[in-house]
Amino acid sequence: GVTELRKKLHFLPVEARIKYRICVLVCKCVYATAPSYLCDLIQRRILKPKTPRQNDDTTKLELDHSLKLTYVRRAAFQVVGPRHWNGLPRKLRKVDTEDAFKSQLKTHIIREFYDDPSPKT
């Protein structure tokens, strides 16, 4: 069917494409290659580790709790961006180049949206 063809061609549904673009913008903010007005909206989370393992995860972003989350503000970049980023696997958040991130992100999102039962790496 159409879904199988889209999956084979790596076409993302609209909702998945939006998530992909947001995550790519957040990645650019994390690596300071995005415009400063976007980078200013994203802050790294400063963790106080409870266990040695938590000390390793400095890749999460701070969620902006200062905004009263009305319907419109829930869609704001400083809310949606960190939420999507923090929802990614740690391995994906730690990728060191933008091109590798984009490639791995698209694979992750395709699996997520098309319910691919193959193992996630």
Side-chain angles (χ1 to χ4, degrees):
V2 173
T3 301
E4 286 303 314
L5 180 61
R6 285 182 178 182
K7 184 177 173 185
K8 184 178 178 181
L9 296 173
H10 285 202
F11 287 172
L12 295 172
V14 173
E15 183 181 347
R17 182 76 181 153
I18 291 168
K19 181 176 181 176
Y20 173 83
R21 292 301 307 149
I22 290 170
C23 288
V24 168
L25 281 175
V26 172
C27 177
K28 289 180 178 197
C29 290
V30 167
Y31 294 111
T33 60
S36 61
Y37 68 89
L38 286 178
C39 294
D40 292 345
L41 300 174
I42 302 295
Q43 296 177 5
R44 284 196 179 272
R45 183 183 292 177
I46 299 170
L47 294 174
K48 294 180 182 171
K50 296 176 186 169
T51 66
R53 186 165 188 226
Q54 286 180 331
N55 193 24
D56 191 35
D57 193 6
T58 57
T59 61
K60 288 201 172 189
L61 300 176
E62 192 66 47
L63 293 172
D64 189 347
H65 295 291
S66 66
L67 293 174
K68 187 175 179 182
L69 293 180
T70 62
Y71 178 75
V72 173
R73 292 202 177 166
R74 273 182 262 163
F77 180 70
Q78 64 263 41
V79 174
V80 175
R83 187 175 294 143
H84 284 320
W85 180 264
N86 292 345
L88 296 174
R90 180 186 306 169
K91 184 178 179 179
L92 185 54
R93 292 191 314 260
K94 287 187 158 213
V95 172
D96 57 356
T97 68
E98 189 178 325
D99 288 337
F101 176 79
K102 287 179 182 180
S103 175
Q104 291 179 33
L105 175 64
K106 191 163 185 183
T107 300
H108 171 76
I109 290 177
I110 285 171
R111 287 181 178 158
E112 181 179 80
F113 275 81
Y114 290 121
D115 291 325
D116 187 355
S118 65
K120 293 178 173 126
T121 56

